[in-house]
Amino acid sequence: MNENLFASFAAPSMMGLPIVVLIVMFPSILFPAPNRLINNRLISIQQWLIQLTSKQMLAIHNQKGRTWALMLMSLILFIGSTNLLGLLPHSFTPTTQLSMNLGMAIPLWAGTVITGFRYKTKASLAHFLPQGTPLPLIPMLVIIETISLLIQPMALAVRLTANITAGHLLIHLIGGATLALINISAATAFITFIILILLTILEFAVALIQAYVFTLLVSLYLHDNT
């Protein structure tokens, strides 16, 4: 079991060709574009949830920041759907790959920073040097603020990767322990199975919460720069 502990996190391939692109594109099938005058219940619920989330997330933004509404909603839908699909048996979760999360975090972070330097140049530069800083501390504070700015996309990606990966590892370990305990003690195996069910329910919540947290932090970075 220890040898195959991280096997589920390896990028899948078919006939030697990676199929990560197909897996990443698959969640778009779950959100069909409405083409009827009266939608069914599923599409109506999806639209209601999207409107509720967008209204809450964009309430703090000005008109310039609200132009990112489509990007933010697409981001939260993509991360949430891939996290949930990754909980299915024998499936692959793209958000457990740090490279992919960095690929999402760095361009979005860079877009917010460039927007800030373009439209709020003085305010963006002022973040590097708080008002009233003593003269001897100016070089040190500029370096610290620069590092804190550059580490933001790494923090976004590592947070998402660590939370999703930890949940999958716990499910894998507890599931393996449940199978091993069946022949030893049925009562202990049943208790472990109950823990596994509760952990799976928790992972469903974590999958949605992490999608919301990732998108919310990008939204806050955008708010600071618009």
Side-chain angles (χ1 to χ4, degrees):
M1 183 176 69
N2 293 331
E3 296 179 357
N4 298 325
L5 189 59
F6 295 94
S8 60
F9 301 110
S13 60
M14 181 180 296
M15 299 178 63
L17 299 175
I19 57 174
V20 177
V21 177
L22 297 177
I23 297 173
V24 169
M25 294 174 61
F26 181 74
S28 61
I29 304 174
L30 303 177
F31 303 99
N35 54 7
R36 297 179 181 178
L37 183 61
I38 300 177
N39 297 322
N40 57 30
R41 290 185 178 88
L42 178 60
I43 295 181
S44 297
I45 292 174
Q46 288 179 356
Q47 291 180 341
W48 176 74
L49 288 174
I50 291 173
Q51 291 175 359
L52 181 65
T53 306
S54 62
K55 186 181 297 184
Q56 181 181 1
M57 193 168 294
L58 299 174
I60 60 175
H61 289 283
N62 54 21
Q63 194 64 32
K64 194 180 300 296
R66 291 179 182 178
T67 58
W68 284 55
L70 181 60
M71 175 69 75
L72 294 176
M73 289 302 102
S74 301
L75 181 65
I76 191 172
L77 288 175
F78 171 74
I79 298 177
S81 57
T82 51
N83 287 348
L84 291 175
L85 289 173
L87 292 174
L88 296 175
H90 304 288
S91 60
F92 173 72
T93 312
T95 47
T96 57
Q97 306 295 313
L98 182 60
S99 58
M100 176 176 170
N101 295 335
L102 283 173
M104 291 189 295
I106 291 177
L108 291 169
W109 167 83
T112 60
V113 173
I114 292 172
T115 301
F117 279 108
R118 181 178 180 183
Y119 295 105
K120 296 174 61 177
T121 306
K122 291 184 179 180
S124 298
L125 292 175
H127 285 297
F128 293 96
L129 188 62
Q131 187 176 6
T133 304
L135 189 62
L137 296 179
I138 288 179
M140 183 64 67
L141 280 179
V142 171
I143 294 174
I144 292 174
E145 291 297 328
T146 303
I147 294 174
S148 66
L149 178 65
L150 296 176
I151 208 171
Q152 287 177 353
M154 179 63 72
L156 274 177
V158 170
R159 181 186 295 106
L160 179 59
T161 304
N163 281 281
I164 301 302
T165 303
H168 286 291
L169 285 176
L170 280 175
I171 291 177
H172 181 81
L173 290 172
I174 296 178
T178 304
L179 290 176
L181 288 171
I182 288 178
N183 298 325
I184 301 175
S185 173
T188 307
F190 179 74
I191 295 174
T192 312
F193 181 69
I194 296 298
I195 296 174
L196 179 62
I197 293 176
L198 295 176
L199 181 61
T200 305
I201 295 173
L202 177 64
E203 279 303 305
F204 273 97
V206 169
L208 297 176
I209 290 171
Q210 288 304 315
Y212 180 78
V213 168
F214 189 97
T215 311
L216 181 63
L217 289 175
V218 173
S219 176
L220 292 177
Y221 296 156
L222 178 63
H223 176 258
D224 292 338
N225 290 283
T226 53

